[in-house]
Amino acid sequence: MNVIPCSINTLKGLYDISGVEVGQHLYWQIGGLQVHAQVLITSWVVIALLLGSVTLAVRNPQTIPADGQNFFEYLLEFIRDLSKTQIGEDYGPWVPFIGTMFLFIFVSNWSGALLPWKIIQLPHGELAAPTNDINTTVALALLTSVAYFYAGLSKKGLSYFGKYIQPTPILLPINILEDFTKPLSLSFRLFGNILADELVVVVLVSLVPLVVPIPVMFLGLFTSGIQALIFATLAAAYIGESMEGHH
């Protein structure tokens, strides 16, 4: 007779863990700024994971790589190929930026799917992937936009702005609008897909047994990696476009 209440309590606990709190945040006051504490905490965890894994992998580099060093060298080659394909022959200085974007978003997305953040209780809000906050995705998009303009200005100087009146000055408003919509598109594409994935899991958990949402969670891992790849690819493409000077 006690099996049914125990099963109900177990399912209720799983439902609570899979729930999403919308619009609630834990705030910290840093100087005169009010920041989302849970985003800072999870971002620090992601950064610590990246720095820690890299440090362990390259602390004793070998001529013939093995294990962790081999994996990170493969990852570096992948990021270099991605940068070279999208930017061109001048891709070298941009590999660290594209790699940082890709790895931070990838590990952030996977941490939201794999780490049991919701077990840790906060006074307000909940811990989740840093990319689950619109402020994080906007910041990443704005960094890409700054890099986009810096690449064009460093390559062509003030003549870079001549592209806004090409092929005819009539297109000036449209060309300016295009540059403003690029970071907006990057931000909402990343934020929307991550949030939609979490909401789908929550709805499935509330409607069907847990056996069904589990494959969807694994599918979310795949789509999370794809989102990181799309963001890094578009960022590199925008930088390459600004250096080439055509649309």
Side-chain angles (χ1 to χ4, degrees), residues 7-20:
S7 300
I8 293 175
N9 291 333
T10 302
L11 290 174
K12 185 178 183 300
L14 291 172
Y15 176 79
D16 292 338
I17 290 176
S18 64
V20 175

Side-chain angles (χ1 to χ4, degrees), residues 30-52:
I30 301 180
L33 301 176
Q34 191 178 59
V35 298
H36 292 177
Q38 70 268 30
V39 178
L40 286 181
I41 293 171
T42 52
S43 296
W44 291 338
V45 171
V46 169
I47 293 171
L49 287 173
L50 288 171
L51 292 177

